């Protein structure tokens, strides 16, 4: 259970494990690191508070209330496709995780490809975490014969941003792995703009790197990067 603390007359819930960290919180932390190696800015982003609130805390209180309770960031969780859950609780609905791209509509596959291209750094091949919930919303946007609906997809994205990081990432990594195999097996791109090699770089960038030092990890402007085989 998260730790409630009072900062500047505001009740803040500090996550005490990876299981309590949401996709939205992870995205905010990542985005904060892009501005530089500022630990307080990163913590403020995680907690969704003003950095000045932390700057005004006595050093002893900052260490006791926050830094000490964020030591769990030292150890990365296992986020491989093999560890994906069978279901995700999205909002208040328990939804089964699709098993492959064949269960998706062609429009979903194209949207998935488009989101990857839009949010992937062209130089590093790193996928920005702000795309995580969007990609998952595309995967879960149709569980029946209803047509794709932008409004419903936006609602799903907002709900997925609030689910635990450790539950969402194995599912996303599973579909990124499926995407890699889909491109490797295909003799033609899905559209004239498809770029299989970029998709491979995306997969490589999102694999669990097993980083162990939380400060170093938070301050790196990239995520889950591994060397290509």
């Amino acid at each position: 259970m998260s730790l409630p603390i009072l900062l500047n007359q505001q009740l803040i819930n500090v996550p005490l494990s990876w299981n309590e960290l949401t996709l939205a919180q992870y995205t905010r932390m990542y985005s904060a690191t892009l501005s530089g190696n500022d630990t307080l800015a990163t913590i403020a982003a995680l907690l969704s508070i003003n950095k000045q609130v932390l700057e005004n805390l006595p050093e002893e209180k900052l260490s006791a209330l926050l830094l000490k309770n964020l030591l769990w960031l030292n150890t990365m969780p296992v986020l491989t496709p093999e560890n994906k859950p069978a279901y995700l609780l999205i909002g208040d609905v328990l939804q089964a995780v699709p098993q492959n791209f064949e269960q998706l509509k062609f429009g979903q596959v194209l949207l998935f490809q488009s989101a990857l291209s839009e949010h992937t750094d062209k130089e590093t091949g790193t996928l920005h975490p702000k795309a995580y919930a969007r990609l998952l919303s595309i995967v879960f946007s149709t569980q029946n014969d209803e047509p794709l609906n932008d409004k419903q997809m936006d609602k799903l994205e907002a709900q997925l941003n609030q689910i635990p990081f450790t539950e969402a990432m194995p599912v996303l990594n599973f579909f990124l792995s499926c995407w890699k195999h889909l491109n490797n097996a295909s003799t033609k791109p899905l559209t004239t703009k498809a770029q299989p090699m970029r998709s491979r770089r995306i997969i490589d960038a999102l694999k669990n790197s097993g980083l162990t030092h939380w400060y170093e990890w938070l301050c790196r402007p990239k995520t889950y990067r591994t060397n290509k085989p």
Side-chain angles (χ1 to χ4, degrees), residues 10-225:
Q10 181 181 358
L11 185 63
I12 304 296
N13 290 313
V14 180
L16 298 178
S17 72
W18 284 101
N19 293 330
E20 296 176 4
L21 188 77
T22 66
L23 274 181
Q25 288 173 316
Y26 178 83
T27 301
R28 293 199 302 266
M29 283 198 304
Y30 178 93
S31 298
T33 66
L34 298 180
S35 300
N37 298 344
D38 189 333
T39 305
L40 290 186
T42 301
I43 295 175
L46 164 63
L47 302 177
S48 193
I49 60 176
N50 193 302
K51 174 187 171 183
Q52 189 175 359
V53 174
L54 301 181
E55 291 176 332
N56 291 334
L57 287 176
E59 183 177 353
E60 297 79 8
K61 186 174 182 179
L62 175 66
S63 177
L65 288 181
L66 294 178
L67 299 181
K68 180 179 179 181
N69 287 304
L70 291 174
L71 291 177
W72 51 270
L73 287 167
N74 285 343
T75 305
M76 286 292 294
V78 177
L79 304 171
T80 60
E82 294 76 18
N83 289 279
K84 72 177 178 65
Y87 297 87
L88 277 185
L89 184 62
I90 305 175
D92 56 358
V93 178
L94 194 63
Q95 294 201 34
V97 176
Q99 296 303 303
N100 49 55
F101 274 100
E102 293 178 0
Q103 292 184 247
L104 307 184
K105 295 182 178 182
F106 185 64
Q108 287 174 276
V109 178
L110 293 181
L111 286 172
F112 193 93
Q113 173 185 292
S114 177
L116 284 179
S117 178
E118 178 182 355
H119 296 291
T120 300
D121 186 281
K122 294 178 176 58
E123 294 183 0
T124 65
T126 300
L127 180 66
H128 196 290
K130 66 184 177 183
Y132 293 174
R134 189 62 180 178
L135 289 168
L136 288 172
S137 73
I138 293 170
V139 168
F140 286 97
S141 61
T142 56
Q143 296 284 334
N144 47 45
D145 294 330
E146 296 180 5
L148 292 173
N149 184 303
D150 288 339
K151 184 176 181 180
Q152 176 64 15
M153 200 175 299
D154 291 341
K155 179 181 177 181
L156 275 172
E157 182 176 358
Q159 292 173 329
L160 284 158
N161 262 317
Q162 301 309 313
I163 68 174
F165 179 76
T166 52
E167 293 181 17
M169 287 309 298
V171 176
L172 179 59
N173 284 334
F174 169 74
F175 276 96
L176 290 170
S177 178
C178 288
W179 179 257
K180 174 183 177 181
H181 293 307
L182 180 67
N183 278 277
N184 288 344
S186 177
T187 57
K188 295 182 179 180
L190 293 174
T191 71
T192 56
K193 295 182 180 180
Q195 301 181 34
M197 287 307 295
R198 178 179 294 177
S199 298
R200 171 184 278 278
R201 292 175 66 197
I202 293 168
I203 300 300
D204 291 340
L206 282 174
K207 287 181 180 177
N208 186 358
S209 65
L211 295 173
T212 57
H213 191 286
W214 80 272
Y215 176 78
E216 177 186 7
W217 167 71
L218 286 175
C219 293
R220 289 185 178 182
K222 54 188 176 182
T223 106
Y224 303 128
R225 196 164 173 79

